[in-house]
Amino acid sequence: MLQTLQDKFYQNFIKDDHWKYIADGLKVTLQVTFFAVIIGIVLGFLVAIIRSTYDKTGKLKILNVICKVYLTVIRGTPVVVQLLIIYFGIFASVDISKVLVAIMAFGLNSGAYVAEIFRSGIMSIDNGQFEAGRSLGFNYVQTMIHIIMPQAFKNVLPALGNEFIVLLKETSVSGYIALQDLTKGGDIIRSRTYDAMFPLVAVALVYLVMVMIFTKLVNILERRLRNSDH
Amino acid sequence: MTINGDILIKVEDLHKVYHNKLHALDGVSEEILKGEVVVIVGPSGSGKSTFLRSLNLLEVPTSGHVYFEGVDITSKETNIDHHRQKMGMVFQHFNLFPHKTILENITLAPIKLLKKSRAEAESRAMELLKLVGLEAKANSYPSQLSGGQKQRIAIIRSLAMDPDVMLFDEPTSALDPEMVGEVLELMKRLADDGMTMVVVTHEMGFAKEVATRVIFMDEGKIKEQGAPAEFFDHPKDPRLKEFLSKIL
Protein backbone atom coordinates (compact mmCIF):
# COMPACT_ATOMS: atom_id res chain seq x y z
CA MET A 1 0.00 0.00 0.00
CA LEU A 2 2.66 2.46 1.09
CA GLN A 3 4.80 1.22 -1.72
CA THR A 4 2.13 1.96 -4.34
CA LEU A 5 1.63 5.43 -2.93
CA GLN A 6 5.33 6.08 -3.14
CA ASP A 7 5.39 4.77 -6.68
CA LYS A 8 2.50 6.97 -7.69
CA PHE A 9 4.10 9.99 -6.12
CA TYR A 10 7.28 9.27 -8.03
CA GLN A 11 5.39 8.70 -11.28
CA ASN A 12 3.36 11.89 -10.99
CA PHE A 13 5.82 14.39 -9.62
CA ILE A 14 9.44 13.24 -9.70
CA LYS A 15 9.76 11.28 -12.93
CA ASP A 16 10.69 13.42 -15.97
CA ASP A 17 10.53 16.49 -13.71
CA HIS A 18 6.73 16.37 -13.78
CA TRP A 19 6.58 18.73 -10.80
CA LYS A 20 7.76 21.46 -13.11
CA TYR A 21 4.32 21.50 -14.75
CA ILE A 22 2.87 22.43 -11.38
CA ALA A 23 5.59 24.93 -10.54
CA ASP A 24 5.54 26.64 -13.94
CA GLY A 25 1.75 26.57 -13.97
CA LEU A 26 1.66 28.19 -10.55
CA LYS A 27 3.96 30.92 -11.82
CA VAL A 28 1.58 31.63 -14.72
CA THR A 29 -1.49 31.55 -12.47
CA LEU A 30 0.09 34.02 -10.05
CA GLN A 31 1.24 36.25 -12.88
CA VAL A 32 -2.20 36.36 -14.48
CA THR A 33 -3.97 36.88 -11.13
CA PHE A 34 -1.60 39.61 -9.96
CA PHE A 35 -1.83 41.76 -13.07
CA ALA A 36 -5.54 41.07 -13.54
CA VAL A 37 -6.12 42.27 -9.97
CA ILE A 38 -4.28 45.50 -10.72
CA ILE A 39 -6.26 46.07 -13.92
CA GLY A 40 -9.45 45.15 -12.06
CA ILE A 41 -8.79 47.65 -9.27
CA VAL A 42 -7.87 50.51 -11.59
CA LEU A 43 -10.74 49.85 -13.97
CA GLY A 44 -13.22 49.18 -11.18
CA PHE A 45 -12.16 52.31 -9.34
CA LEU A 46 -12.62 54.51 -12.42
CA VAL A 47 -16.00 53.01 -13.27
CA ALA A 48 -17.16 53.35 -9.66
CA ILE A 49 -16.09 57.01 -9.57
CA ILE A 50 -17.92 57.76 -12.81
CA ARG A 51 -21.05 55.92 -11.71
CA SER A 52 -21.27 57.47 -8.26
CA THR A 53 -20.43 60.94 -9.57
CA TYR A 54 -23.36 60.55 -11.92
CA ASP A 55 -25.57 59.29 -9.09
CA LYS A 56 -24.63 62.18 -6.83
CA THR A 57 -24.37 65.10 -9.24
CA GLY A 58 -25.93 64.07 -12.56
CA LYS A 59 -22.66 64.83 -14.37
CA LEU A 60 -20.71 62.47 -16.71
CA LYS A 61 -23.90 61.20 -18.30
CA ILE A 62 -22.34 59.69 -21.43
CA LEU A 63 -19.49 58.02 -19.56
CA ASN A 64 -22.04 56.61 -17.17
CA VAL A 65 -23.95 55.00 -20.04
CA ILE A 66 -20.72 53.46 -21.38
CA CYS A 67 -19.93 52.09 -17.93
CA LYS A 68 -23.40 50.62 -17.60
CA VAL A 69 -23.06 48.81 -20.92
CA TYR A 70 -19.67 47.48 -19.83
CA LEU A 71 -21.08 46.22 -16.52
CA THR A 72 -24.09 44.60 -18.14
CA VAL A 73 -22.10 42.77 -20.82
CA ILE A 74 -19.30 41.59 -18.56
CA ARG A 75 -21.50 40.50 -15.70
CA GLY A 76 -24.07 38.98 -18.04
CA THR A 77 -21.72 36.57 -19.83
CA PRO A 78 -19.44 33.76 -18.59
CA VAL A 79 -15.77 34.62 -18.15
CA VAL A 80 -14.74 31.62 -20.27
CA VAL A 81 -16.71 32.95 -23.21
CA GLN A 82 -15.14 36.38 -22.74
CA LEU A 83 -11.69 34.80 -22.68
CA LEU A 84 -12.41 32.81 -25.85
CA ILE A 85 -13.81 35.84 -27.68
CA ILE A 86 -10.80 37.96 -26.78
CA TYR A 87 -8.25 35.30 -27.77
CA PHE A 88 -9.87 33.67 -30.80
CA GLY A 89 -11.98 36.62 -31.87
CA ILE A 90 -10.40 39.97 -31.17
CA PHE A 91 -6.76 38.83 -31.33
CA ALA A 92 -7.34 36.09 -33.92
CA SER A 93 -4.91 37.46 -36.45
CA VAL A 94 -2.45 38.96 -33.98
CA ASP A 95 0.50 37.09 -32.54
CA ILE A 96 0.05 37.88 -28.89
CA SER A 97 1.17 36.22 -25.68
CA LYS A 98 -1.52 34.05 -24.12
CA VAL A 99 -0.56 35.31 -20.69
CA LEU A 100 -1.25 38.84 -21.84
CA VAL A 101 -4.64 37.85 -23.24
CA ALA A 102 -5.54 36.10 -19.99
CA ILE A 103 -4.48 39.14 -17.96
CA MET A 104 -6.63 41.38 -20.15
CA ALA A 105 -9.65 39.09 -20.07
CA PHE A 106 -9.61 38.49 -16.32
CA GLY A 107 -8.74 42.12 -15.57
CA LEU A 108 -11.60 43.33 -17.71
CA ASN A 109 -13.92 40.83 -16.06
CA SER A 110 -12.82 41.60 -12.51
CA GLY A 111 -13.10 45.35 -13.12
CA ALA A 112 -16.86 45.03 -13.53
CA TYR A 113 -17.29 43.30 -10.17
CA VAL A 114 -14.82 45.56 -8.39
CA ALA A 115 -16.66 48.60 -9.80
CA GLU A 116 -19.92 47.54 -8.20
CA ILE A 117 -18.16 46.74 -4.93
CA PHE A 118 -16.51 50.16 -4.83
CA ARG A 119 -19.72 51.89 -5.84
CA SER A 120 -21.74 50.21 -3.11
CA GLY A 121 -18.98 51.27 -0.70
CA ILE A 122 -19.18 54.89 -1.80
CA MET A 123 -22.98 54.92 -1.66
CA SER A 124 -22.94 53.34 1.80
CA ILE A 125 -21.24 56.40 3.28
CA ASP A 126 -23.80 58.71 4.86
CA ASN A 127 -24.47 61.79 2.76
CA GLY A 128 -23.79 63.90 5.85
CA GLN A 129 -20.10 63.04 5.49
CA PHE A 130 -20.19 64.42 2.00
CA GLU A 131 -22.01 67.56 3.11
CA ALA A 132 -19.62 68.12 6.01
CA GLY A 133 -16.68 67.99 3.60
CA ARG A 134 -18.28 70.33 1.12
CA SER A 135 -19.37 72.76 3.85
CA LEU A 136 -15.75 73.08 5.00
CA GLY A 137 -14.83 74.20 1.50
CA PHE A 138 -13.54 70.95 -0.04
CA ASN A 139 -14.50 70.52 -3.67
CA TYR A 140 -16.10 67.32 -4.95
CA VAL A 141 -12.82 65.55 -5.74
CA GLN A 142 -11.13 66.56 -2.48
CA THR A 143 -14.15 65.39 -0.49
CA MET A 144 -14.00 62.06 -2.28
CA ILE A 145 -10.27 61.61 -1.69
CA HIS A 146 -10.00 62.76 1.93
CA ILE A 147 -13.37 61.82 3.38
CA ILE A 148 -15.45 59.37 1.34
CA MET A 149 -12.88 57.00 -0.21
CA PRO A 150 -10.96 56.05 2.94
CA GLN A 151 -14.21 55.11 4.66
CA ALA A 152 -15.63 53.37 1.60
CA PHE A 153 -12.46 51.35 1.10
CA LYS A 154 -12.57 50.12 4.66
CA ASN A 155 -16.20 49.07 4.27
CA VAL A 156 -15.63 47.10 1.07
CA LEU A 157 -12.37 45.42 2.01
CA PRO A 158 -13.96 42.03 2.86
CA ALA A 159 -15.94 42.02 -0.39
CA LEU A 160 -12.85 43.07 -2.31
CA GLY A 161 -10.77 40.30 -0.76
CA ASN A 162 -13.48 37.83 -1.67
CA GLU A 163 -13.52 39.05 -5.26
CA PHE A 164 -9.79 38.44 -5.60
CA ILE A 165 -10.10 34.95 -4.20
CA VAL A 166 -12.78 34.28 -6.80
CA LEU A 167 -10.52 35.75 -9.49
CA LEU A 168 -7.58 33.56 -8.46
CA LYS A 169 -9.74 30.46 -8.83
CA GLU A 170 -11.38 31.66 -12.04
CA THR A 171 -8.03 31.85 -13.82
CA SER A 172 -8.18 28.04 -13.81
CA VAL A 173 -10.19 28.22 -17.04
CA SER A 174 -7.12 29.64 -18.83
CA GLY A 175 -6.60 26.17 -20.28
CA TYR A 176 -9.37 26.97 -22.76
CA ILE A 177 -6.89 29.07 -24.70
CA ALA A 178 -4.18 26.46 -24.09
CA LEU A 179 -2.41 28.62 -21.53
CA GLN A 180 -0.42 26.39 -19.20
CA ASP A 181 -1.56 27.63 -15.85
CA LEU A 182 -1.67 25.65 -12.62
CA THR A 183 -4.78 23.66 -13.54
CA LYS A 184 -3.58 22.92 -17.03
CA GLY A 185 -0.21 21.85 -15.60
CA GLY A 186 -1.87 19.29 -13.36
CA ASP A 187 -4.01 18.12 -16.24
CA ILE A 188 -0.96 17.57 -18.43
CA ILE A 189 0.55 15.33 -15.77
CA ARG A 190 -2.74 13.39 -15.64
CA SER A 191 -2.66 12.88 -19.39
CA ARG A 192 0.88 11.48 -19.15
CA THR A 193 0.53 9.22 -16.14
CA TYR A 194 -3.15 8.32 -16.55
CA ASP A 195 -3.52 9.02 -12.83
CA ALA A 196 -6.14 11.69 -12.08
CA MET A 197 -6.13 11.81 -8.28
CA PHE A 198 -2.55 12.69 -7.47
CA PRO A 199 -1.89 15.59 -9.82
CA LEU A 200 -5.34 17.14 -9.54
CA VAL A 201 -5.52 16.90 -5.76
CA ALA A 202 -2.06 18.47 -5.66
CA VAL A 203 -3.36 21.31 -7.82
CA ALA A 204 -6.38 21.71 -5.55
CA LEU A 205 -4.11 21.86 -2.50
CA VAL A 206 -1.97 24.58 -4.06
CA TYR A 207 -5.10 26.70 -4.76
CA LEU A 208 -6.34 26.06 -1.24
CA VAL A 209 -3.08 27.15 0.37
CA MET A 210 -2.95 30.30 -1.75
CA VAL A 211 -6.52 31.20 -0.86
CA MET A 212 -5.85 30.63 2.82
CA ILE A 213 -2.76 32.82 2.74
CA PHE A 214 -4.65 35.54 0.92
CA THR A 215 -7.58 35.38 3.33
CA LYS A 216 -5.15 35.76 6.22
CA LEU A 217 -3.55 38.81 4.62
CA VAL A 218 -6.93 40.47 4.06
CA ASN A 219 -7.88 39.80 7.67
CA ILE A 220 -4.70 41.42 8.94
CA LEU A 221 -5.24 44.47 6.74
CA GLU A 222 -8.87 44.66 7.82
CA ARG A 223 -7.95 44.59 11.49
CA ARG A 224 -5.31 47.25 11.02
CA LEU A 225 -7.80 49.55 9.30
CA ARG A 226 -10.52 48.86 11.79
CA ASN A 227 -8.68 49.83 14.97
CA SER A 228 -9.60 53.45 14.22
CA ASP A 229 -13.34 53.38 14.68
CA HIS A 230 -16.40 51.52 15.92
CA MET B 1 -21.84 92.19 20.71
CA THR B 2 -22.11 94.79 18.01
CA ILE B 3 -24.13 94.82 14.88
CA ASN B 4 -22.40 97.34 12.69
CA GLY B 5 -24.91 97.36 9.88
CA ASP B 6 -22.76 95.73 7.23
CA ILE B 7 -24.70 93.19 5.22
CA LEU B 8 -22.98 89.80 5.38
CA ILE B 9 -25.54 87.66 3.59
CA LYS B 10 -28.26 88.93 1.32
CA VAL B 11 -30.94 86.64 -0.04
CA GLU B 12 -33.11 87.71 -2.95
CA ASP B 13 -36.41 86.07 -3.86
CA LEU B 14 -35.26 82.52 -3.14
CA HIS B 15 -37.39 79.67 -4.48
CA LYS B 16 -36.86 75.97 -4.05
CA VAL B 17 -39.18 73.52 -5.75
CA TYR B 18 -38.54 69.81 -5.37
CA HIS B 19 -39.28 67.21 -8.02
CA ASN B 20 -42.54 66.35 -6.34
CA LYS B 21 -43.67 69.97 -6.82
CA LEU B 22 -43.21 70.67 -3.15
CA HIS B 23 -42.53 74.38 -2.75
CA ALA B 24 -39.98 74.33 0.09
CA LEU B 25 -39.01 77.97 -0.35
CA ASP B 26 -41.54 80.38 -1.78
CA GLY B 27 -39.86 83.71 -2.47
CA VAL B 28 -37.70 84.38 0.57
CA SER B 29 -35.76 87.66 0.73
CA GLU B 30 -33.66 88.46 3.77
CA GLU B 31 -30.51 90.14 4.98
CA ILE B 32 -28.14 88.94 7.66
CA LEU B 33 -26.00 91.68 9.17
CA LYS B 34 -22.52 91.24 10.58
CA GLY B 35 -22.68 90.35 14.27
CA GLU B 36 -26.31 89.28 14.22
CA VAL B 37 -27.53 86.09 15.85
CA VAL B 38 -30.56 85.14 13.82
CA VAL B 39 -32.66 82.27 15.09
CA ILE B 40 -35.11 80.69 12.66
CA VAL B 41 -38.06 78.80 14.08
CA GLY B 42 -41.10 77.20 12.53
CA PRO B 43 -43.00 73.93 12.23
CA SER B 44 -41.36 71.01 10.44
CA GLY B 45 -41.69 71.33 6.70
CA SER B 46 -41.76 75.12 6.95
CA GLY B 47 -38.61 75.44 4.83
CA LYS B 48 -36.35 76.70 7.61
CA SER B 49 -33.67 74.05 7.09
CA THR B 50 -33.89 74.43 3.33
CA PHE B 51 -33.41 78.16 3.77
CA LEU B 52 -30.37 77.69 6.00
CA ARG B 53 -28.83 75.11 3.66
CA SER B 54 -29.38 77.48 0.75
CA LEU B 55 -27.12 80.04 2.37
CA ASN B 56 -24.02 77.95 1.59
CA LEU B 57 -25.66 76.24 -1.39
CA LEU B 58 -25.72 72.76 0.09
CA GLU B 59 -29.24 73.13 -1.21
CA VAL B 60 -29.20 74.68 -4.66
CA PRO B 61 -32.14 77.05 -5.00
CA THR B 62 -34.41 76.72 -8.02
CA SER B 63 -34.29 80.48 -8.52
CA GLY B 64 -33.18 83.60 -6.70
CA HIS B 65 -29.82 84.87 -5.51
CA VAL B 66 -27.64 84.55 -2.44
CA TYR B 67 -24.96 87.19 -1.91
CA PHE B 68 -22.21 86.50 0.59
CA GLU B 69 -19.88 89.37 1.41
CA GLY B 70 -21.09 91.14 -1.71
CA VAL B 71 -20.50 88.21 -4.07
CA ASP B 72 -23.36 86.44 -5.82
CA ILE B 73 -22.54 82.87 -4.83
CA THR B 74 -25.49 81.53 -6.82
CA SER B 75 -23.78 82.71 -10.00
CA LYS B 76 -22.27 79.96 -12.13
CA GLU B 77 -18.95 81.84 -12.33
CA THR B 78 -18.48 81.88 -8.56
CA ASN B 79 -16.21 79.29 -7.00
CA ILE B 80 -18.50 78.23 -4.19
CA ASP B 81 -15.84 76.06 -2.50
CA HIS B 82 -13.76 79.17 -1.85
CA HIS B 83 -16.65 81.02 -0.18
CA ARG B 84 -17.76 78.02 1.84
CA GLN B 85 -14.44 78.18 3.67
CA LYS B 86 -15.78 81.35 5.26
CA MET B 87 -19.17 79.85 6.15
CA GLY B 88 -19.00 77.32 8.95
CA MET B 89 -21.80 74.80 9.19
CA VAL B 90 -22.94 72.59 12.05
CA PHE B 91 -25.28 69.69 11.39
CA GLN B 92 -27.90 67.90 13.41
CA HIS B 93 -25.97 64.63 13.19
CA PHE B 94 -22.51 66.17 13.79
CA ASN B 95 -20.97 64.50 10.73
CA LEU B 96 -17.53 64.13 12.24
CA PHE B 97 -15.20 62.03 10.12
CA PRO B 98 -15.15 58.62 11.84
CA HIS B 99 -11.89 57.50 10.25
CA LYS B 100 -9.94 60.45 11.63
CA THR B 101 -8.96 61.41 15.17
CA ILE B 102 -10.49 64.48 16.77
CA LEU B 103 -7.30 66.43 16.08
CA GLU B 104 -7.30 65.28 12.44
CA ASN B 105 -10.96 66.20 12.11
CA ILE B 106 -10.14 69.75 13.15
CA THR B 107 -6.88 70.18 11.21
CA LEU B 108 -7.86 68.49 7.92
CA ALA B 109 -9.43 71.52 6.26
CA PRO B 110 -6.96 74.14 7.57
CA ILE B 111 -4.02 72.05 6.32
CA LYS B 112 -5.49 71.10 2.95
CA LEU B 113 -7.41 74.28 2.15
CA LEU B 114 -5.75 77.12 4.04
CA LYS B 115 -2.31 75.52 3.44
CA LYS B 116 -1.40 75.89 7.09
CA SER B 117 1.56 73.88 8.33
CA ARG B 118 0.68 70.86 10.44
CA ALA B 119 2.24 72.42 13.53
CA GLU B 120 0.35 75.67 13.04
CA ALA B 121 -2.98 73.90 12.43
CA GLU B 122 -2.47 71.62 15.42
CA SER B 123 -1.61 74.42 17.82
CA ARG B 124 -4.76 76.28 16.74
CA ALA B 125 -6.75 73.06 17.13
CA MET B 126 -5.42 72.54 20.64
CA GLU B 127 -6.39 76.13 21.50
CA LEU B 128 -9.92 75.43 20.32
CA LEU B 129 -10.02 72.10 22.15
CA LYS B 130 -9.02 73.89 25.35
CA LEU B 131 -11.80 76.39 24.73
CA VAL B 132 -14.34 73.56 24.94
CA GLY B 133 -12.41 71.60 27.58
CA LEU B 134 -11.83 68.57 25.37
CA GLU B 135 -8.06 68.74 24.85
CA ALA B 136 -7.77 65.27 26.42
CA LYS B 137 -9.78 63.88 23.49
CA ALA B 138 -7.38 65.11 20.79
CA ASN B 139 -6.24 61.63 19.86
CA SER B 140 -9.58 59.88 20.37
CA TYR B 141 -11.85 58.86 17.54
CA PRO B 142 -15.38 60.30 17.20
CA SER B 143 -16.98 56.98 18.17
CA GLN B 144 -15.41 57.34 21.62
CA LEU B 145 -17.21 60.63 22.31
CA SER B 146 -20.67 61.44 23.63
CA GLY B 147 -23.15 63.28 21.43
CA GLY B 148 -22.60 66.56 23.20
CA GLN B 149 -18.84 66.22 22.86
CA LYS B 150 -19.18 65.34 19.18
CA GLN B 151 -21.25 68.42 18.51
CA ARG B 152 -18.81 70.68 20.33
CA ILE B 153 -15.99 69.19 18.24
CA ALA B 154 -18.06 69.77 15.10
CA ILE B 155 -18.45 73.42 16.08
CA ILE B 156 -14.73 73.99 16.67
CA ARG B 157 -13.91 72.06 13.49
CA SER B 158 -15.80 74.80 11.67
CA LEU B 159 -14.21 77.51 13.79
CA ALA B 160 -10.74 76.28 12.81
CA MET B 161 -11.40 77.72 9.35
CA ASP B 162 -11.95 81.20 10.89
CA PRO B 163 -15.37 81.60 9.29
CA ASP B 164 -17.21 84.92 9.02
CA VAL B 165 -20.55 83.28 9.72
CA MET B 166 -21.67 80.09 11.40
CA LEU B 167 -24.77 78.21 10.23
CA PHE B 168 -26.41 75.81 12.68
CA ASP B 169 -28.93 73.27 11.39
CA GLU B 170 -30.82 72.01 14.47
CA PRO B 171 -27.57 71.48 16.38
CA THR B 172 -29.19 70.03 19.49
CA SER B 173 -32.05 68.00 18.00
CA ALA B 174 -30.14 64.71 17.97
CA LEU B 175 -28.77 65.08 21.50
CA ASP B 176 -29.83 63.47 24.73
CA PRO B 177 -31.53 66.14 26.86
CA GLU B 178 -28.70 66.35 29.39
CA MET B 179 -26.23 67.21 26.63
CA VAL B 180 -28.18 70.04 25.06
CA GLY B 181 -26.95 72.54 27.64
CA GLU B 182 -23.23 72.16 26.94
CA VAL B 183 -23.74 72.75 23.21
CA LEU B 184 -26.01 75.76 23.72
CA GLU B 185 -23.56 77.19 26.21
CA LEU B 186 -20.76 77.03 23.62
CA MET B 187 -23.01 78.65 21.02
CA LYS B 188 -23.85 81.40 23.45
CA ARG B 189 -20.16 82.03 24.05
CA LEU B 190 -19.62 82.30 20.30
CA ALA B 191 -22.43 84.81 20.07
CA ASP B 192 -20.97 86.83 22.93
CA ASP B 193 -17.66 86.92 21.06
CA GLY B 194 -19.42 88.59 18.16
CA MET B 195 -19.71 85.67 15.74
CA THR B 196 -22.43 86.13 13.15
CA MET B 197 -24.77 83.17 13.49
CA VAL B 198 -27.82 81.80 11.77
CA VAL B 199 -29.46 79.09 13.84
CA VAL B 200 -32.35 76.79 13.04
CA THR B 201 -33.51 75.36 16.33
CA HIS B 202 -36.42 74.36 18.53
CA GLU B 203 -34.69 75.71 21.64
CA MET B 204 -36.90 78.69 22.42
CA GLY B 205 -34.89 79.48 25.55
CA PHE B 206 -31.81 79.99 23.39
CA ALA B 207 -33.79 82.16 20.96
CA LYS B 208 -35.08 84.35 23.78
CA GLU B 209 -31.77 84.71 25.50
CA VAL B 210 -29.19 84.85 22.73
CA ALA B 211 -30.89 85.85 19.48
CA THR B 212 -30.73 89.41 18.26
CA ARG B 213 -33.54 88.60 15.87
CA VAL B 214 -36.01 85.74 15.54
CA ILE B 215 -37.58 84.68 12.25
CA PHE B 216 -40.73 82.59 11.96
CA MET B 217 -41.07 80.55 8.78
CA ASP B 218 -44.10 78.67 7.55
CA GLU B 219 -45.03 77.22 4.15
CA GLY B 220 -41.72 78.33 2.64
CA LYS B 221 -42.18 81.97 3.60
CA ILE B 222 -41.00 84.28 6.34
CA LYS B 223 -44.23 85.07 8.15
CA GLU B 224 -42.93 87.22 10.96
CA GLN B 225 -39.71 88.41 12.52
CA GLY B 226 -38.46 90.72 15.21
CA ALA B 227 -36.45 91.15 18.38
CA PRO B 228 -37.01 88.20 20.75
CA ALA B 229 -38.99 90.16 23.35
CA GLU B 230 -41.46 91.51 20.83
CA PHE B 231 -41.53 88.23 18.89
CA PHE B 232 -42.39 86.01 21.83
CA ASP B 233 -44.57 88.41 23.84
CA HIS B 234 -46.56 90.08 21.09
CA PRO B 235 -46.77 87.78 18.07
CA LYS B 236 -49.03 89.12 15.31
CA ASP B 237 -49.21 86.39 12.69
CA PRO B 238 -51.98 83.89 13.56
CA ARG B 239 -49.80 80.90 12.56
CA LEU B 240 -47.02 82.14 14.82
CA LYS B 241 -49.49 82.58 17.71
CA GLU B 242 -50.67 79.03 17.22
CA PHE B 243 -47.08 77.75 16.92
CA LEU B 244 -45.97 79.49 20.11
CA SER B 245 -49.00 78.37 22.04
CA LYS B 246 -48.13 74.76 21.18
CA ILE B 247 -44.47 74.84 22.15
CA LEU B 248 -44.28 77.28 25.06
Side-chain angles (χ1 to χ4, degrees):
Chain A
M1 172 71 181
L2 198 66
Q3 190 57 41
T4 48
L5 279 180
Q6 254 176 10
D7 273 356
K8 280 196 168 179
F9 187 85
Y10 176 80
Q11 288 279 329
N12 281 302
F13 300 122
I14 312 296
K15 195 175 159 234
D16 302 335
D17 280 346
H18 277 161
W19 61 273
K20 278 196 171 159
Y21 287 108
I22 303 258
D24 292 348
L26 175 60
K27 225 186 288 172
V28 171
T29 292
L30 286 176
Q31 233 175 5
V32 170
T33 306
F34 179 76
F35 289 106
V37 161
I38 291 176
I39 293 177
I41 288 182
V42 172
L43 200 60
F45 187 74
L46 288 176
V47 172
I49 292 283
I50 291 168
R51 297 261 292 136
S52 46
T53 299
Y54 175 76
D55 287 349
K56 273 190 198 295
T57 67
K59 288 174 187 164
L60 307 178
K61 199 169 180 177
I62 294 169
L63 281 175
N64 182 56
V65 170
I66 295 171
C67 289
K68 261 181 144 165
V69 171
Y70 161 71
L71 293 175
T72 309
V73 171
I74 294 294
R75 296 197 302 164
T77 53
V79 65
V80 188
V81 178
Q82 292 163 17
L83 182 69
L84 292 173
I85 289 176
I86 291 178
Y87 185 67
F88 292 111
I90 295 172
F91 290 113
S93 51
V94 187
D95 186 24
I96 187 170
S97 138
K98 285 172 189 162
V99 174
L100 208 59
V101 171
I103 288 172
M104 267 192 276
F106 289 112
L108 208 61
N109 180 272
S110 181
Y113 293 93
V114 172
E116 288 303 271
I117 291 172
F118 271 139
R119 192 172 78 99
S120 74
I122 291 169
M123 298 318 265
S124 74
I125 304 301
D126 179 54
N127 202 41
Q129 290 289 310
F130 193 77
E131 290 190 338
R134 295 305 303 269
S135 78
L136 284 167
F138 287 109
N139 62 32
Y140 179 85
V141 174
Q142 290 169 323
T143 306
M144 276 296 182
I145 291 173
H146 297 301
I147 296 157
I148 307 298
M149 286 300 174
Q151 298 183 59
F153 180 70
K154 199 184 324 190
N155 287 357
V156 302
L157 199 61
L160 215 50
N162 199 40
E163 162 58 23
F164 295 140
I165 287 171
V166 170
L167 177 63
L168 172 72
K169 291 183 291 180
E170 263 182 353
T171 60
S172 62
V173 299
S174 298
Y176 272 89
I177 58 168
L179 177 64
Q180 285 195 21
D181 72 326
L182 179 57
T183 306
K184 188 74 182 173
D187 203 39
I188 289 173
I189 299 175
R190 180 191 59 78
S191 67
R192 299 217 165 160
T193 61
Y194 302 109
D195 180 6
M197 275 311 270
F198 259 82
L200 294 181
V201 168
V203 164
L205 280 175
V206 175
Y207 278 112
L208 186 64
V209 169
M210 283 195 295
V211 168
M212 283 165 70
I213 292 173
F214 197 77
T215 308
K216 189 85 193 155
L217 288 177
V218 172
N219 284 344
I220 291 172
L221 184 60
E222 218 178 308
R223 214 170 310 136
R224 192 167 298 172
L225 282 173
R226 199 183 327 133
N227 63 24
S228 59
D229 58 62
H230 310 309
Chain B
M1 108 188 85
T2 52
I3 301 167
N4 60 20
D6 288 350
I7 297 171
L8 192 64
I9 302 175
K10 185 176 170 180
V11 175
E12 261 179 19
D13 197 27
L14 219 53
H15 287 263
K16 175 77 187 184
V17 187
Y18 288 108
H19 302 300
N20 54 12
K21 307 275 185 239
L22 181 78
H23 222 124
L25 289 179
D26 192 4
V28 177
S29 297
E30 193 49 63
E31 287 171 358
I32 311 282
L33 307 182
K34 225 170 250 177
E36 271 196 302
V37 178
V38 178
V39 170
I40 305 171
V41 300
S44 61
S46 60
K48 55 190 193 305
S49 266
T50 307
F51 174 69
L52 186 83
R53 290 161 52 82
S54 298
L55 297 182
N56 67 353
L57 297 197
L58 276 189
E59 208 74 64
V60 181
T62 312
S63 68
H65 295 274
V66 179
Y67 299 88
F68 175 59
E69 299 182 323
V71 179
D72 182 359
I73 57 172
T74 37
S75 155
K76 286 247 184 306
E77 279 97 72
T78 309
N79 178 1
I80 181 63
D81 300 315
H82 180 72
H83 295 280
R84 278 194 186 126
Q85 295 180 12
K86 287 280 157 204
M87 310 173 99
M89 183 151 201
V90 177
F91 300 87
Q92 183 177 354
H93 295 286
F94 333 125
N95 297 342
L96 294 181
F97 308 134
H99 61 302
K100 294 192 176 294
T101 65
I102 297 308
L103 194 62
E104 288 166 347
N105 261 276
I106 302 169
T107 57
L108 180 69
I111 290 173
K112 300 287 180 198
L113 297 174
L114 302 181
K115 305 294 173 202
K116 282 191 181 183
S117 71
R118 178 166 298 276
E120 196 185 347
E122 284 183 354
S123 91
R124 172 75 176 133
M126 289 310 293
E127 260 174 50
L128 288 165
L129 280 167
K130 269 193 199 104
L131 180 80
V132 295
L134 290 174
E135 62 266 44
K137 300 288 185 188
N139 295 312
S140 303
Y141 283 91
S143 58
Q144 296 163 296
L145 270 57
S146 73
Q149 290 172 332
K150 280 184 201 169
Q151 195 59 301
R152 285 185 284 155
I153 297 297
I155 291 172
I156 62 171
R157 177 175 70 179
S158 289
L159 289 179
M161 292 296 283
D162 290 317
D164 294 335
V165 62
M166 287 283 286
L167 312 174
F168 294 85
D169 191 3
E170 303 201 18
T172 57
S173 297
L175 294 175
D176 289 339
E178 76 265 31
M179 290 170 183
V180 170
E182 63 195 60
V183 172
L184 291 180
E185 196 258 338
L186 173 60
M187 289 168 63
K188 183 174 183 306
R189 245 192 303 164
L190 278 185
D192 291 343
D193 288 345
M195 175 61 75
T196 309
M197 294 163 58
V198 185
V199 185
V200 169
T201 186
H202 297 292
E203 295 292 332
M204 295 303 146
F206 179 83
K208 273 183 191 169
E209 194 188 343
V210 183
T212 55
R213 183 153 61 105
V214 188
I215 288 176
F216 174 68
M217 284 189 74
D218 189 34
E219 295 169 328
K221 291 188 175 77
I222 293 180
K223 290 283 176 73
E224 184 163 343
Q225 59 171 298
E230 182 70 13
F231 182 91
F232 286 106
D233 296 340
H234 306 289
K236 290 166 199 75
D237 183 81
R239 279 290 291 126
L240 174 55
K241 283 182 188 169
E242 187 193 338
F243 177 72
L244 291 177
S245 74
K246 275 181 189 159
I247 57 165
L248 290 178

